[in-house]
Amino acid sequence: MDVPYDLTSYVRVLKMATTPTSEEFLQVSKIAGAGILLVGFLGFLIGGIMLLLTGDAGGAL
């Protein structure tokens, strides 16, 4: 492992990186939020189907 070469490449990437504009940040936030909602909805849908098929509330005492 060539540590000086690795550090040089990391520094080069950090120098190229920029802070996103507010428009870019909002766009990424909307996409990430939509993904989170989609995964949550799919989990809710699968849970509902499992409840209908098995009639069990999933371990409730």
Side-chain angles (χ1 to χ4, degrees):
M1 184 168 137
D2 192 11
V3 174
Y5 176 74
D6 290 340
L7 290 177
T8 303
S9 63
Y10 297 148
V11 169
R12 187 178 333 130
V13 169
L14 287 175
K15 284 182 181 179
M16 289 175 42
T18 60
T19 303
T21 65
S22 59
E23 182 178 331
E24 290 172 334
F25 181 77
L26 286 174
Q27 185 176 11
V28 170
S29 299
K30 288 177 187 177
I31 293 170
I36 290 170
L37 289 175
L38 178 65
V39 170
F41 177 73
L42 285 175
F44 182 76
L45 190 63
I46 291 170
I49 291 170
M50 293 291 290
L51 182 63
L52 287 174
L53 292 177
T54 63
D56 185 15
L61 295 176

